[in-house]
């Protein structure tokens, strides 16, 4: 069985981390895309992120990803207001993760991985998904350390 890195990213940091993790682990890689577009400008994106969080919106996923051949999924996301973006809820809604291990990783301006971890744990618990402890991937050093 193989591993895959699935990431959500609007400004490229999580994409870069995901590419590095895919390279280091020999994983395939896919972007978690939404059907909606994300504003380029920070203020609009911030307002949208807050509204989605406050209204418990689970954005619709556009990506078609066949997970049959994978047993390990590295799941990457930026930290938004000390939480994962709401599309991470959609990830757990949309994919059959039975018998798979999910390893989350985050990028952030400064927040720790641990700040978002309880939210992902709750999503995983609700779907009976096996989640293992993840890591922040703000630098190559953090990625190397997190993959140990
Ligand atoms: C709406 C929004 C909220 C954010 N909230 C936080 C936060 O709570 N803590 C933090 O350290 N960084 C925060 N950031 C910074 C992002 O987590 C960081 O820039 C991240 O690496 C962006 O990932 P991306 O380039 O893959 O989209 C926030 C950014 C945005 C756009």
């Amino acid at each position: 069985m193989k591993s895959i890195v699935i990431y959500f990213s609007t400004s490229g940091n999580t994409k870069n981390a995901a590419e590095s993790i895919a390279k280091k682990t020999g994983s395939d890689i896919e972007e978690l895309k939404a059907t909606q577009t994300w504003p380029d400008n920070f203020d609009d994106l911030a307002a949208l992120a807050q509204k989605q969080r406050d209204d418990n919106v689970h954005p619709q996923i556009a990506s078609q990803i066949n997970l049959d051949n994978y047993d390990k999924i590295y799941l990457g996301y930026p930290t938004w207001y000390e939480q994962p973006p709401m599309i991470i809820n959609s990830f757990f809604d949309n994919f059959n993760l039975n018998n798979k291990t999910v390893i989350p990783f985050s990028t952030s301006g400064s927040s720790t991985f641990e700040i978002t971890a309880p939210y992902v744990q709750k999503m995983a618990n609700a779907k009976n998904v096996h989640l293992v402890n993840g890591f922040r991937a703000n630098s190559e050093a953090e990625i190397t350390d997190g993959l140990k």
Side-chain angles (χ1 to χ4, degrees):
M1 287 291 249
K2 290 193 65 183
S3 54
I4 184 168
V5 181
I6 298 178
Y7 68 93
F8 172 69
S9 180
T10 62
S11 63
N13 296 340
T14 314
K15 179 176 196 274
N16 289 339
E19 286 171 352
S20 170
I21 291 167
K23 206 170 161 193
K24 286 186 200 302
T25 59
S27 304
D28 291 338
I29 183 165
E30 289 281 352
E31 182 177 359
L32 189 64
K33 288 190 192 140
T35 53
Q36 67 176 94
T37 54
W38 302 94
D40 288 334
N41 113 4
F42 178 85
D43 289 347
D44 291 347
L45 180 58
L48 179 64
Q50 273 176 313
K51 182 151 178 47
Q52 290 189 341
R53 180 198 61 189
D54 294 347
D55 297 349
N56 192 27
V57 173
H58 295 196
Q60 198 181 351
I61 289 178
S63 310
Q64 305 275 342
I65 308 172
N66 183 342
L67 294 177
D68 288 354
N69 294 327
Y70 304 102
D71 58 1
K72 194 192 270 187
I73 301 166
Y74 295 93
L75 175 65
Y77 53 83
T79 306
W80 281 1
Y81 297 111
E82 304 194 336
Q83 294 187 22
M86 292 302 288
I87 194 170
I88 299 303
N89 288 276
S90 317
F91 170 79
F92 284 94
D93 295 342
N94 275 249
F95 292 100
N96 181 350
L97 302 169
N98 286 344
N99 301 318
K100 303 192 192 298
T101 298
V102 176
I103 305 159
F105 64 94
S106 65
T107 69
S108 72
S110 59
S111 294
T112 60
F113 169 76
E114 285 69 27
I115 205 118
T116 63
Y119 296 94
V120 189
Q121 187 66 63
K122 202 172 160 193
M123 294 172 209
N125 289 350
K127 304 278 173 181
N128 280 320
V129 175
H130 181 224
L131 192 81
V132 302
N133 193 29
F135 55 94
R136 190 173 71 178
N138 279 0
S139 65
E140 283 303 312
E142 287 184 348
I143 291 171
T144 304
D145 204 42
L147 289 174
K148 272 184 194 155

